[in-house]
Amino acid sequence: MKINPVRGTHDLFGEEINKFNKVVAEVKDISQQFGFNELITPIFESSELFKKPLGEQSDVVLKEMYTFNDRNEDEITLRPEYTTPMIRAAISNGLLNNLPAKFFGTGQMFRRERPQKGRYRQFNQINFENFGSDDFFADIEIISLANTLLKKLIPNSNFTLHINTLGARENLSAYKKILSKFFNDNQKSLSKESLDKIYINPLRILDSKNPEDSAIIKKSPKLIDLISKTDLNNYEEIKKCLTDIGITIFEDPNLVRGLDYYCHTVFEFKSNELGSQDTLIGGGRYNGLIKTLGGQDIPGVGWAGGIERIMLLMNSIPQKEADIHIAILDPSFKIHAIKIYDFLIKNNFSVYWNYKYNLKKSLSFANEKKINYLIIVGENEKANNNFSIKNLSNGKQVIVNIDNILDYLK
Ligand code: AMP
């Protein structure tokens, strides 16, 4: 019986798992630098956590959620994103008493999308969230954090920051109405795909990639005309500060992001080396969302990044090999060999043993794996209670015992 992986899922091993672990390790380092605490939430939640907050008409909720009834008929969803679970967890555990409260997490997300390069049905995200601050420095900090992380992980990649402001939530709902009317009046100029979105989600028409839509999108009413002066000033300050700290920004007035909860600053880090799935990190402000989910009326800002997409741009990271290989020349020497094996492990060396009981095979294995030292356990070594150790980079071989091997290896 051969069972294939489920479509849109993938296994991680070899160099890929090394890249994955590097991403997670860098995320943990950077979280310390910026003062974010780790928060791990379950991979499934009550469906209602996602439906309304993400938008009943969003693609994620309409088409992509893995939802099922538990045995007692509770409706459960495998998390399609991390912001709402993090807020739920912060509220459930009383973590919003000292503000701002800053959290991060990494973990699997699930969306039933059409699989392609950089798009899977189970994938891993990094999430950074800052709850409770309206200060525009929080926006700058979280964007700078994303930029720092990408610079560390993909220093040779040409990623770019795209940014926009959606203004306050009220502006946005007014704008959606204006936009629906405009696109409705211009149905002839829209692609079939966009026609379906006129009333459901007119903002998504703005980021349509269909060339049929581009002319009418250019003529559509602009959100910026509805945004208050104060909010626009804030946005200007954010852009200025980002530029001052050396982050190049591309303003994109059509950047709206796919989920309903965003307002004010929205941003994406993109790469032109990825094909159509070109967004590495996406995020923004979600003032109002924490209240919708039953918490205090406090603002929030955060982002999510796709680990697999970042990995596509990372250089390969070879497997780390052992420091020492043990060649045991006959199975009857195992009891003598285990002493040195155990001693070296307890002294933090990595030791490999391939059960071949053959010097030639052990040597070629160690050479192939670029292992530096070979310990040989043969007849004489057993009789004299010592070990031979060969330095494979210069070929020199000496006799050592447990008491002086550490001096030799130093
Ligand atoms: P989103 O919540 O859609 O803004 O996604 C945030 C980030 O997660 C994206 O920028 C991608 O890097 C990553 N991502 C989203 N959906 C997928 C997917 N289906 N497969 C792999 N990565 C994804």
Side-chain angles (χ1 to χ4, degrees):
M1 183 168 69
K2 180 170 172 264
I3 299 174
N4 291 320
V6 175
R7 192 164 136 79
T9 69
H10 58 283
D11 305 305
L12 279 176
F13 53 92
E15 290 189 352
E16 290 302 290
I17 200 101
N18 294 343
K19 289 187 194 172
F20 181 88
N21 287 335
K22 181 166 168 142
V23 175
V24 174
E26 284 294 358
V27 164
K28 291 193 175 170
D29 275 1
I30 284 191
S31 68
Q32 296 252 323
Q33 263 191 299
F34 284 77
F36 284 68
N37 295 318
E38 187 160 13
L39 179 56
I40 298 179
T41 71
I43 60 165
F44 57 81
E45 298 272 358
S46 298
S47 300
E48 61 185 332
L49 176 63
F50 305 111
K51 280 190 182 163
K52 203 161 160 257
L54 268 54
E56 306 262 11
Q57 304 300 340
S58 66
D59 283 351
V60 173
V61 173
L62 279 180
K63 300 185 233 158
E64 296 168 3
M65 293 206 313
Y66 281 97
T67 296
F68 57 96
N69 285 335
D70 202 352
R71 291 195 184 187
N72 57 3
E73 297 302 305
D74 287 340
E75 202 188 78
I76 302 285
T77 293
L78 299 184
R79 61 182 180 199
E81 63 109 48
Y82 219 162
T83 303
T84 44
M86 283 221 186
I87 295 174
R88 199 270 311 133
I91 296 170
S92 305
N93 298 290
L95 304 177
L96 296 174
N97 297 328
N98 289 320
L99 299 177
K102 303 181 190 184
F103 296 103
F104 80 97
T106 56
Q108 296 91 342
M109 306 296 141
F110 304 84
R111 293 184 194 172
R112 201 177 186 293
E113 299 194 86
R114 193 169 48 75
Q116 56 179 272
K117 183 181 159 201
R119 187 159 81 181
Y120 311 99
R121 290 179 174 177
Q122 177 180 325
F123 58 100
N124 289 275
Q125 267 190 356
I126 310 157
N127 260 72
F128 278 85
E129 311 291 349
N130 182 341
F131 304 138
S133 179
D134 236 342
D135 194 312
F136 70 73
F137 192 74
D139 304 45
I140 294 165
E141 178 185 50
I142 211 131
I143 293 173
S144 150
L145 195 161
N147 188 63
T148 309
L149 180 69
L150 291 179
K151 278 255 178 311
K152 288 217 162 147
L153 293 172
I154 45 173
N156 302 322
S157 182
N158 255 333
F159 59 83
T160 44
L161 170 64
H162 300 248
I163 190 165
N164 188 22
T165 182
L166 302 177
R169 199 165 287 280
E170 311 80 75
N171 303 137
L172 201 56
S173 22
Y175 180 59
K176 280 186 192 166
K177 287 191 186 124
I178 295 171
L179 213 52
S180 294
K181 181 168 183 326
F182 173 81
F183 286 130
N184 191 47
D185 292 345
N186 290 282
Q187 290 194 19
K188 281 200 278 322
S189 316
L190 282 173
S191 67
K192 153 106 194 46
E193 220 182 8
S194 290
L195 281 175
D196 296 339
K197 296 184 182 143
I198 293 181
Y199 286 104
I200 297 178
N201 203 347
L203 289 178
R204 288 321 302 260
I205 301 179
L206 296 181
D207 64 5
S208 153
K209 297 206 166 79
N210 194 324
E212 266 182 74
D213 296 323
S214 61
I216 194 69
I217 289 173
K218 271 202 192 108
K219 286 193 212 147
S220 64
K222 299 295 173 239
L223 173 61
I224 199 149
D225 300 330
L226 300 183
I227 299 177
S228 75
K229 226 174 161 173
T230 322
D231 287 344
L232 279 180
N233 280 344
N234 250 349
Y235 179 52
E236 289 306 318
E237 299 277 14
I238 290 171
K239 285 187 296 179
K240 182 176 177 318
C241 289
L242 288 171
T243 313
D244 285 352
I245 59 171
I247 302 179
T248 309
I249 52 175
F250 290 86
E251 272 198 84
D252 179 354
N254 292 332
L255 178 68
V256 291
R257 313 266 310 122
L259 306 175
D260 264 13
Y261 55 61
Y262 286 109
C263 55
H264 297 291
T265 321
V266 285
F267 58 89
E268 289 185 344
F269 283 87
K270 288 170 175 275
S271 163
N272 58 12
E273 298 154 83
L274 284 174
S276 68
Q277 300 306 309
D278 60 354
T279 308
L280 295 163
I281 284 178
R285 272 212 169 260
Y286 43 79
N287 301 354
L289 179 60
I290 297 171
K291 184 164 179 239
T292 306
L293 294 174
Q296 301 113 281
D297 189 4
I298 51 169
V301 60
W303 57 255
I307 297 189
E308 283 83 356
R309 288 211 195 150
I310 297 172
M311 282 164 58
L312 285 172
L313 299 177
M314 284 169 74
N315 293 329
S316 63
I317 304 174
Q319 208 82 349
K320 187 187 173 314
E321 299 303 346
D323 302 315
I324 300 166
H325 180 69
I326 296 198
I328 305 172
L329 305 191
D330 184 273
S332 63
F333 308 148
K334 273 192 273 192
I335 289 172
H336 180 51
I338 192 77
K339 290 185 217 153
I340 192 89
Y341 179 78
D342 179 60
F343 178 80
L344 290 169
I345 291 284
K346 284 185 177 141
N347 280 284
N348 300 320
F349 289 94
S350 58
V351 192
Y352 198 84
W353 174 352
N354 70 353
Y355 327 110
K356 294 279 194 270
Y357 308 108
N358 176 308
L359 184 59
K360 225 171 130 194
K361 282 188 184 161
S362 290
L363 248 176
S364 60
F365 177 88
N367 276 324
E368 184 193 322
K369 297 279 176 197
K370 302 198 168 54
I371 296 177
N372 244 338
Y373 292 99
L374 185 71
I375 287 186
I376 303 163
V377 189
E379 185 85 59
N380 289 341
E381 285 84 0
K382 189 185 163 202
N384 300 320
N385 195 23
N386 58 25
F387 305 92
S388 297
I389 183 161
K390 193 178 177 76
N391 179 334
L392 296 177
S393 46
N394 61 18
K396 281 196 186 138
Q397 186 169 323
V398 294
I399 289 177
V400 291
N401 55 40
I402 284 193
D403 297 329
N404 63 15
I405 188 164
L406 293 185
D407 290 336
Y408 174 82
L409 287 170
K410 253 189 231 157

